[in-house]
Amino acid sequence: VSHTGTPYYNILFKDNEIIEDVDLLVSISNLLIDVPRIKLIKRPTAKLTDRLIYTDVHVGMDASRKDLAQYAIHWNKDELFERINIMVGEAIVNKTSNTIIVDELGDYMDGYNAQTTRGGHHLPQNMTNEESFDSGLTAKMMLARELSKHWDYIVFNNICEYNHAGSFGYIVNSAFKSLCEVSFNNVEVNNFQKFINHYFMGKHCFVLSHGKDSKSLKFGFKPFLDPKQIEKIDQYLKQNDIYKKAEYIEFSKGDSHQLLFDYCTSDDFDYMNYFAFSPSSEWVQTNFKKGRSGFVFSNIEYDNNEKETNIYFFK
């Protein structure tokens, strides 16, 4: 504002830095412009596929506040990398197939400039933007590298539309995809930018969503289905002809940080809430409880509804 000739800030002014998505992605692409992409091998055919599901990693979140939080947990890059290694180890122990699908359901990065996508909501951080980017990307590459040693083919499905970091999360996953394309011949990466997405495995269809988006849904999908949410999912399934193509449908979501599997509310699909990979934030610790975190590993048969689900809780 400059009515007097001397610039000054209005009291309502918020000096928010905007992420320049395109510029950052161009910079990442330019770094790899002279590196030839590796051609993917043909995806193996199988009647059984392994599936690893994790969500809400919240890279950069400060859950400790210098040991003053109710249940102070140091959520830093060392803890992140340790949990990635634990997840890989458990996946290897439960391996039944030569193919694995890894579904990451959003809120991978905690925030950008310590803000949610809508702004105005401060997020306590223990990393800078740069440190968060490096740690988040390194953790994903660790996961890809180790899994590629034990499975013939790996598919990463990353939800990039969510309420905590939004575009920042997409940038990390875009860099991950670019690096995998020049590093592995058996790693496929799909970065989903829509609020709801899906893929097929034989007679199964898995519908993926974080549960909240970056713009419109302040409350999003609840841990327990209500008629409005059933209708929303039902309309998506009809619009994409999923009822005609799949015999078994699972709606997989994160966001609520709760492990709740609902096979009964809907007769048409299973409604699966997956718990957070990260420990609880201080806000959750104070307003609710310490909570539990972990990941889920499943073995799924393509042509029937038989599957084995292994749940791992971090200590």
Side-chain angles (χ1 to χ4, degrees), residues 75-92:
W75 185 232
N76 50 37
K77 68 177 183 180
D78 294 332
E79 294 294 328
L80 169 63
F81 297 162
E82 181 178 349
R83 291 194 177 196
I84 290 291
N85 286 326
I86 290 172
M87 184 164 68
V88 170
E90 289 298 314
I92 293 170

Side-chain angles (χ1 to χ4, degrees), residues 24 59 182 224 238 272:
L24 282 171
V59 176
V182 299
F224 299 98
K238 290 177 179 176
M272 316 294 263

Side-chain angles (χ1 to χ4, degrees), residues 52-63:
L52 176 63
I53 312 100
Y54 72 112
T55 184
D56 293 87
V57 180
H58 291 282
V59 176
M61 175 185 68
D62 182 6

